[in-house]
């Protein structure tokens, strides 16, 4: 279990990791937590199938070698989806909790702080143990309710933007430029080497700093 934090925040971050882990071991997960993770895993498996034909040769070769070296079965993206999706869909909160408890059964912890954190102590190891031990003495309680929140997408506009003109430039590259009445410019370029993928780049420009002082 890992976290990334500001260098001067390593102590509260370590304490929070210890308490979150202990909270999960003692009380398990909320149904909404499991539902969110299940949806994420299934979406990842389905996306891998959609992008299977656009993988780079180096990625495929690396995966093959990794499976051979670890004596594991090499499966296609579709095979992984067919095998794992039904299993993930049928996971229950109790099953996930029992698996977590079994994984952290042994009373052994390796605590590591890396990066540019400054541990102000003659013995950094003792400082780590002190912070961890102090956190271990903090009581944790079961989370009674987790509020499900929708991602705060922008509210759709009342009416679509009015197009001022459409320009096709660099015909051999298939680039089309669409200018809107509010001076927003949209550049479109369809490609076929990465199916089922849309890449978006938003550029606001340099703004007032590009204007002369007068």
């Amino acid at each position: 279990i890992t976290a990334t934090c500001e260098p001067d925040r390593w102590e509260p971050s370590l304490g929070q990791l210890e308490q979150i882990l202990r909270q999960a071991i003692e009380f398990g997960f909320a149904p909404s937590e499991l539902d969110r993770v299940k949806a994420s895993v299934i979406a990842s498996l389905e996306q891998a199938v959609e992008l299977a034909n656009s993988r780079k040769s180096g990625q495929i070769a690396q995966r093959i070698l990794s499976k051979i070296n670890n004596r594991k079965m090499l499966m296609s993206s579709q095979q992984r989806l067919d095998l794992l999706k039904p299993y993930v869909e049928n996971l229950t909160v109790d099953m996930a909790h029992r698996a977590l408890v079994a994984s952290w059964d042994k009373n052994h912890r390796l605590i590591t702080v890396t990066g540019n954190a400054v541990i102000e102590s003659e013995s950094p190891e003792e400082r780590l143990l002190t912070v961890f031990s102090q956190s271990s003495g903090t009581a944790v309680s079961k989370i009674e309710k987790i509020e499900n929140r929708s991602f705060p997408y922008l509210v759709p506009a009342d009416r679509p933007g009015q197009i001022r003109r459409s320009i096709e430039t660099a015909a051999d590259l298939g680039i089309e430029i669409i200018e809107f009445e509010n001076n927003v410019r949209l550049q479109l370029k369809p490609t076929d080497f990465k199916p089922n993928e849309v890449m978006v780049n938003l550029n606001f420009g340099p703004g007032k700093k590009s204007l002369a002082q007068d």
Side-chain angles (χ1 to χ4, degrees):
I1 177 170
T2 63
T4 302
C5 66
E6 294 297 326
D8 59 344
R9 299 287 296 169
W10 74 267
E11 291 190 18
S13 297
L14 176 58
Q16 190 172 27
L17 283 181
E18 187 279 326
Q19 292 170 34
I20 288 175
L21 175 61
R22 187 155 42 90
Q23 183 183 54
I25 292 174
E26 292 185 19
F27 301 105
F29 307 106
S32 59
E33 288 181 300
L34 183 62
D35 290 341
R36 185 173 66 250
V37 173
K38 287 166 68 172
S40 177
V41 171
I42 292 173
S44 178
L45 292 169
E46 292 175 341
Q47 184 184 45
V49 173
E50 293 179 350
L51 301 178
N53 293 330
S54 62
R55 291 177 297 174
K56 295 181 179 179
S57 299
Q59 293 176 324
I60 299 175
Q62 188 177 32
R63 184 173 180 82
I64 293 173
L65 289 173
S66 175
K67 294 298 181 181
I68 292 175
N69 291 334
N70 291 283
R71 302 180 66 84
K72 292 183 177 181
M73 180 66 70
L74 177 67
M75 294 188 292
S76 68
S77 299
Q78 186 64 54
Q79 288 173 323
R80 284 177 54 80
L81 176 64
D82 295 341
L83 177 68
L84 296 176
K85 184 177 179 179
Y87 173 75
V88 174
E89 290 176 330
N90 289 301
L91 281 175
T92 65
V93 170
D94 182 62
M95 292 167 64
H97 184 218
R98 285 189 280 112
L100 178 77
V101 172
S103 297
W104 292 86
D105 180 44
K106 293 183 179 180
N107 186 23
H108 171 76
R109 301 288 184 264
L110 174 62
I111 308 165
T112 307
V113 176
T114 60
N116 56 346
V118 177
I119 303 177
E120 297 178 351
S121 173
E122 293 182 1
S123 174
E125 293 82 1
E126 288 296 329
R127 185 59 192 158
L128 261 64
L129 288 174
T130 298
V131 173
F132 189 84
S133 298
Q134 288 176 345
S135 176
S136 300
T138 302
V140 293
S141 58
K142 182 179 180 180
I143 298 177
E144 296 298 333
K145 184 179 180 180
I146 297 179
E147 180 182 355
N148 288 325
R149 298 183 178 182
S150 299
F151 189 84
Y153 290 106
L154 292 176
V155 178
D158 295 332
R159 62 185 180 89
Q162 299 300 308
I163 296 177
R164 179 187 298 157
R165 61 174 179 163
S166 177
I167 309 169
E168 185 171 334
T169 182
D172 57 327
L173 298 177
I175 298 175
E176 181 182 4
I177 299 177
I178 298 173
E179 290 184 355
F180 293 89
E181 288 185 345
N182 61 356
N183 295 320
V184 171
R185 177 179 291 183
L186 172 66
Q187 297 177 336
L188 297 174
K189 183 183 184 301
T191 60
D192 57 4
F193 52 86
K194 281 196 173 183
N196 301 307
E197 180 178 84
V198 177
M199 300 183 70
V200 179
N201 181 34
L202 186 62
N203 185 356
F204 286 99
K208 289 184 178 180
K209 73 176 184 179
S210 64
L211 302 178
Q213 292 296 321
D214 57 353

